[in-house]
Amino acid sequence: MVSHVDVSSTLFSTVLGQNADKDALPSVLQSLSELKILQISTKSIEDWIGRINNALNSRKTRLEALCLLGLIVDQCSSEVFNQHCISWLRLLLQIFQSHNTVKTLEVACSTTSKILEQVTVFPELSRQVATELIPSIVLCLIKDSDEWLVSALQLLLSCMRYFPGPCGPIKSKLEDKVLPSLRSLDTDIAKAASECYPLLATIGGGGNAGIKHTEAWTHYFDRLLVTAHQILGSLFDGLETENYCLPTAVSINMPDVPDIEPSRTLHLTQHFDVLCACVCNMLQGPFSVVARVPLPEVVRLCCRCFTVQPYMLAGQKSTEYCILLANLYILQRAALDILSSLISSCHGNLISEGRTINQLLVQCLQSTNSETSKISQKPYSVLRTKVYTVLEKWIATVGAAAGIGSNADKLMDYIVQDCSQSQASLYGSSVKVQGFNSQQKFNLFSNSGVCGAALKVLRIMLLSCQLSPAQHKLIHEFTVSKLLQVHQHIEEPPVPYSSQDCRKNLYHVLLAQVLAPHPRWPPSLHCAVQLFRFGRQDPSSLVSSFCIEASITCAALMHPRVHSLQSSLPVVELQESTSLQSRLSMPQNVQENLVLGTSSLSSNVDLQAKHIENESIEGSSESMQMNQNSGDQYKRVRTDEISETDKKRTKVEGQIVVEQEEVIRIDTEEKEKNCIKEVDADDTEIELEWMSRRGSKEISNTEEKSLQSSENMFTEPVSKVLKEIGDQIETQQQKSEDVKEIETGEDEDNDEEEMFTSFVDIPA
């Protein structure tokens, strides 16, 4: 068997060989990355590190050596990394300072980013890199990096993120590099610059409690808002009726755009999209100090993007308005991205702007609504999908505080419309045209994205919002009818439910109805069970697996397998002779007392039976006779006197508390063991009464037989404990002056079951 050392040697030699095929380099690197050879065996890693360092000095093998260095950084141990990190960064700095191919410089930027990310784990190493190498690397990236600007910006991002302090002295140079890149028409460059822009506020010293970083964040954020408003003013010139007050900040210098259409509108639209990406990154990016977000200004910017609607531009014949109509969805989608980021970062602080947000989303759905055929893709499907996604996040974040109750009817109408299919898709695509049978072209997955997003909103509305009974009824009828139609055409589901995601989301809405029904509208539990049973036969594993889970959930709701643990029940170690099932089968009041942790017969238990409250209490001085033939299980326990605390309590309440005798009947062996082991006999007064007939002082032969038959249910330890209790009771009876005797029972014809119908209520 070939060892890992041999495999690594062969592969490394293949990559660094003189006749190496560069087309095979990606395959070899992928194999090395998958096998984790350097992580498994480090025997010859030092030799290969020396060979890679030498290869970095040669222009012929520099690219391959950089690729292998990236693998070593990922897989080497901490000791190896700590030993060679500084030398690697110095070699990479030499590569940036010398003339190399664009591909080599891009790979060098990627490898340097990996090293800087790992350096932050080692404090001493991080300080050395920050003072010796970071300023030189940043200066090399700022100069002469136009050909590999995307990679240079990505490496600058790592430098500003992991070493913000050393970047402070050259902050102005970094700003001059990042801001012009925002104006680039290359989408990759503009995207990389939009990721670097939020970090400009974090570099340098933060001052007392980070006040300088907070002020810098506000400064850069206001510049974005002002510039975005200026671009919208240029695009919507002559179409707006409201004047917007811009924040008092300096705008970002944007390049001059051509006056000729369509270049003018296209450039302005792209610049606005990049600025909105910067706003999203500033709202979502990590920030070490408090950032003050101007919520009204951000919401106002989003609303301004929707002041111009498609119907306002549809009747215009000028080229400018036609180009604006074609790119209007880009502006509105960017505004929805800002709103989504605002919800993710601010959460409940947006409740004050909830009414405006709801109106904005509903207005967007209304303006993009279309009555075209459901077989073909609807217009503005991307924008409507984004609206539903933002709406789902908004409701899931703040719940019922979103306040969509006033707009719930409109939302449900749009959702039902987007989730419905045409009759042609139900009964086939064959239609008759002028007496001939022709086939109609349609897409099986048309509008599936809009439908899936709308169903998610419907589900979250059921779970989080307060809907009316009529709305619950509408959702119920819609969901059940659509599922029945899907089941009737399971082999060829109707559009858009040809998509497995749409079918799965539809079943998810049905489960939400079961879990969160309205009090005045019956839940569709039994109907859902049958529908989920059909769904388990769906050809898609995604749908069938969800239906299996939903079926189990419904079954657990209808027929719980075991009793649930009470919230007040602590985790206790059960005795060897006590099973969990016997404990759960006890009455609730008995369970709560047994868990108190007492170990004897009673702990602060007041034995008062409800069935003898109205019985007459007769005083008697006779001592109670224990029948030895009936066993030691049933004995009478008399209380001699009432404690001083009870007397004081009765005087305050104005009541005379008379201790009453009680009968404890133990039906099973487990209950008897639990009661004797768990209840403390020293702290509580317990009365064990023997059931007898009224007016009779001896037990009849029939009763003796029944009691004798029940004697076998008790174990020997129980009898011993009860015998000891009986002995104590007899000594107390000799000292007492009055013995109260309670006689309970019914007619002489009562059978054994009626004799043992009185249980002990142990209050919590």
Side-chain angles (χ1 to χ4, degrees):
M1 182 176 179
V2 181
S3 64
H4 291 287
V5 177
D6 297 335
V7 173
S8 61
S9 300
T10 303
L11 292 176
F12 274 48
S13 299
T14 303
V15 174
L16 296 178
Q18 296 180 357
N19 299 325
D21 187 5
K22 293 186 178 181
D23 296 335
L25 179 61
S27 178
V28 175
L29 294 176
Q30 184 177 0
S31 302
L32 290 171
S33 178
E34 179 66 22
L35 295 176
K36 302 295 181 183
I37 294 176
L38 298 176
Q39 186 177 358
I40 297 173
S41 176
T42 58
K43 182 178 180 180
S44 60
I45 190 172
E46 293 292 341
D47 297 337
W48 282 108
I49 288 177
R51 294 183 60 180
I52 290 174
N53 292 340
N54 294 330
L56 289 174
N57 295 322
S58 176
R59 293 178 59 91
K60 296 181 179 179
T61 58
R62 186 169 294 169
L63 177 61
E64 293 80 359
L66 287 172
C67 296
L68 293 177
L69 179 59
L71 292 177
I72 290 178
V73 171
D74 291 335
Q75 301 181 23
C76 70
S77 61
S78 300
E79 293 78 8
V80 174
F81 180 82
N82 197 1
Q83 181 181 357
H84 298 279
C85 174
I86 299 298
S87 61
W88 288 339
L89 287 177
R90 288 174 179 171
L91 289 174
L92 291 170
L93 180 59
Q94 293 178 4
I95 293 175
F96 292 136
Q97 293 174 347
S98 60
H99 297 283
N100 291 280
T101 62
V102 174
K103 184 65 176 178
T104 301
L105 292 172
E106 291 176 352
V107 176
C109 290
S110 176
T111 306
T112 308
S113 298
K114 292 181 181 179
I115 296 176
L116 293 180
E117 183 179 359
Q118 299 293 333
V119 163
T120 56
V121 183
F122 307 93
E124 296 181 0
L125 189 61
S126 178
R127 286 192 293 268
Q128 185 178 359
V129 171
T131 56
E132 296 180 5
L133 297 171
I134 291 298
S136 301
I137 293 175
V138 172
L139 291 176
C140 291
L141 296 175
I142 293 175
K143 299 178 181 179
D144 300 331
S145 59
D146 295 338
E147 296 182 357
W148 43 286
L149 185 56
V150 176
S151 300
L153 290 173
Q154 292 174 353
L155 183 54
L156 283 176
L157 176 67
S158 300
C159 293
M160 289 188 291
R161 176 176 297 170
Y162 302 121
F163 299 93
C167 296
I170 52 177
K171 181 177 180 179
S172 59
K173 296 182 179 180
L174 287 172
E175 186 173 341
D176 294 337
K177 185 69 175 181
V178 173
L179 293 183
S181 300
L182 291 175
R183 305 191 291 263
S184 176
L185 298 179
D186 191 340
T187 56
D188 295 334
I189 296 176
K191 180 180 178 182
S194 65
E195 295 175 355
C196 294
Y197 183 85
L199 297 179
L200 293 175
T202 62
I203 61 178
N208 186 15
I211 186 63
K212 292 184 178 180
H213 288 169
T214 301
E215 294 176 351
W217 192 95
T218 304
H219 169 70
Y220 285 107
F221 193 81
D222 289 342
R223 294 185 67 180
L224 290 176
L225 294 181
V226 171
T227 309
H229 275 291
Q230 291 178 355
I231 294 177
L232 285 180
S234 301
L235 288 171
F236 296 162
D237 187 17
L239 297 173
E240 293 179 310
T241 58
E242 182 180 356
N243 295 326
Y244 291 89
C245 297
L246 303 181
T248 57
V250 180
S251 62
I252 300 175
N253 294 327
M254 302 303 292
D256 296 333
V257 296
D259 296 334
I260 304 174
E261 294 292 348
S263 299
R264 174 183 175 275
T265 303
L266 292 177
H267 288 184
L268 290 175
T269 303
Q270 185 174 358
H271 294 334
F272 181 82
D273 193 15
V274 172
L275 293 177
C276 290
C278 291
V279 173
C280 295
N281 291 331
M282 293 196 71
L283 291 174
Q284 292 183 328
F287 201 61
S288 58
V289 296
V290 178
R292 298 183 177 90
V293 181
L295 294 180
E297 284 76 9
V298 180
V299 175
R300 188 178 298 110
L301 175 64
C302 297
C303 293
R304 187 178 183 183
C305 295
F306 291 89
T307 55
V308 177
Q309 297 297 332
Y311 70 89
M312 301 172 58
L313 302 173
Q316 303 293 336
K317 297 182 180 180
S318 62
T319 305
E320 179 182 356
Y321 290 155
C322 291
I323 300 298
L324 179 60
L325 177 62
N327 293 274
L328 187 62
Y329 80 97
I330 299 178
L331 305 177
Q332 296 179 351
R333 185 186 60 187
L336 292 175
D337 289 335
I338 293 178
L339 187 58
S340 178
S341 302
L342 197 64
I343 294 171
S344 301
S345 59
C346 297
H347 304 288
N349 295 320
L350 271 176
I351 294 178
S352 58
E353 302 290 336
R355 183 177 180 182
T356 304
I357 294 174
N358 294 334
Q359 292 178 352
L360 175 65
L361 297 175
V362 173
Q363 179 184 355
C364 184
L365 290 175
Q366 182 179 1
S367 61
T368 57
N369 192 26
S370 176
E371 299 292 340
T372 58
S373 175
K374 307 297 187 304
I375 297 179
S376 59
Q377 187 76 15
K378 295 179 64 175
Y380 300 104
S381 59
V382 175
L383 188 60
R384 293 181 71 85
T385 303
K386 191 66 179 180
V387 172
Y388 285 128
T389 303
V390 175
L391 185 60
E392 179 193 5
K393 180 183 289 188
W394 169 239
I395 299 175
T397 301
V398 300
I404 65 169
S406 58
N407 299 312
D409 292 334
K410 294 181 179 179
L411 285 175
M412 291 178 62
D413 291 340
Y414 295 136
I415 291 173
V416 169
Q417 184 176 349
D418 287 330
C419 298
S420 300
Q421 68 279 356
S422 64
Q423 296 296 326
S425 63
L426 287 175
Y427 303 106
S429 60
S430 177
V431 295
K432 290 185 177 181
V433 179
Q434 295 181 357
F436 295 94
N437 196 14
S438 62
Q439 298 295 324
Q440 186 176 2
K441 179 178 69 69
F442 67 96
N443 183 11
L444 290 175
F445 300 100
S446 60
N447 304 312
S448 60
V450 181
C451 178
L455 289 173
K456 290 180 181 179
V457 174
L458 198 61
R459 176 183 60 85
I460 200 65
M461 287 174 62
L462 286 169
L463 297 176
S464 303
C465 300
Q466 298 177 356
L467 303 179
S468 64
Q471 293 169 349
H472 275 266
K473 179 181 179 182
L474 176 62
I475 297 175
H476 172 76
E477 293 175 349
F478 163 75
T479 307
V480 173
S481 62
K482 290 296 175 288
L483 286 175
L484 290 176
Q485 292 175 359
V486 171
H487 294 158
Q488 292 175 0
H489 306 82
I490 191 61
E491 295 182 357
E492 296 181 359
V495 177
Y497 296 102
S498 303
S499 172
Q500 60 178 1
D501 292 332
C502 293
R503 297 200 301 274
K504 187 254 185 184
N505 290 326
L506 188 60
Y507 281 111
H508 212 156
V509 173
L510 180 63
L511 181 61
Q513 297 178 35
V514 175
L515 298 177
H518 194 276
R520 297 184 179 180
W521 179 255
S524 55
L525 180 58
H526 294 80
C527 180
V529 171
Q530 186 69 12
L531 292 173
F532 287 135
R533 187 174 68 86
F534 290 151
R536 298 171 70 171
Q537 303 174 2
D538 195 275
S540 173
S541 59
L542 177 67
V543 180
S544 59
S545 60
F546 176 80
C547 290
I548 292 173
E549 181 181 354
S551 299
I552 297 174
T553 303
C554 294
L557 292 176
M558 293 190 297
H559 308 289
R561 297 183 179 180
V562 294
H563 297 283
S564 62
L565 294 176
Q566 301 295 326
S567 60
S568 60
L569 182 64
V571 180
V572 295
E573 183 177 359
L574 301 180
Q575 301 294 336
E576 295 181 359
S577 61
T578 305
S579 63
L580 179 60
Q581 186 64 29
S582 63
R583 182 178 292 272
L584 293 176
S585 63
M586 288 184 176
Q588 177 67 26
N589 50 5
V590 178
Q591 293 183 28
E592 295 176 353
N593 250 305
L594 292 182
V595 179
L596 293 178
T598 57
S599 59
S600 252
L601 273 181
S602 125
S603 174
N604 298 328
V605 179
D606 190 10
L607 298 177
Q608 295 180 356
K610 296 182 180 179
H611 68 285
I612 59 174
E613 286 182 354
N614 297 327
E615 294 287 342
S616 61
I617 302 176
E618 300 178 358
S620 175
S621 62
E622 300 178 1
S623 62
M624 184 177 294
Q625 299 178 357
M626 297 296 176
N627 194 340
Q628 301 299 330
N629 296 330
S630 60
D632 297 331
Q633 294 82 8
Y634 302 92
K635 302 183 186 300
R636 299 181 184 181
V637 180
R638 299 293 189 267
T639 57
D640 297 329
E641 56 184 357
I642 303 176
S643 63
E644 295 297 333
T645 305
D646 293 336
K647 289 181 180 180
K648 293 179 181 180
R649 188 187 305 116
T650 54
K651 290 180 181 180
V652 174
E653 296 178 355
Q655 300 177 356
I656 300 176
V657 180
V658 179
E659 294 292 332
Q660 300 176 345
E661 296 182 352
E662 189 66 25
V663 177
I664 298 180
R665 185 175 69 86
I666 305 176
D667 292 335
T668 60
E669 178 182 355
E670 293 181 351
K671 291 185 179 181
E672 182 64 17
K673 291 180 180 180
N674 291 336
C675 292
I676 291 184
K677 290 184 178 181
E678 296 290 333
V679 185
D680 191 359
D682 298 333
D683 301 330
T684 318
E685 299 173 355
I686 298 182
E687 299 177 355
L688 300 174
E689 183 180 14
W690 204 7
M691 300 297 294
S692 62
R693 297 173 184 166
R694 185 182 303 275
S696 176
K697 295 183 179 180
E698 295 183 356
I699 302 177
S700 62
N701 295 332
T702 305
E703 296 168 338
E704 289 178 346
K705 293 180 180 179
S706 62
L707 294 174
Q708 188 67 28
S709 61
S710 63
E711 180 181 358
N712 299 328
M713 299 172 58
F714 302 94
T715 59
E716 183 177 356
V718 177
S719 302
K720 291 182 180 180
V721 175
L722 289 177
K723 186 176 181 180
E724 294 177 1
I725 298 174
D727 296 339
Q728 296 178 3
I729 295 171
E730 290 179 358
T731 57
Q732 292 178 0
Q733 289 173 353
Q734 294 176 0
K735 297 179 181 180
S736 69
E737 297 179 357
D738 283 333
V739 178
K740 301 181 182 64
E741 181 177 338
I742 303 176
E743 298 179 355
T744 60
E746 299 298 336
D747 299 334
E748 295 182 358
D749 297 335
N750 291 344
D751 56 3
E752 177 188 357
E753 183 178 358
E754 294 176 346
M755 295 172 58
F756 298 98
T757 56
S758 177
F759 291 87
V760 177
D761 291 334
I762 305 179

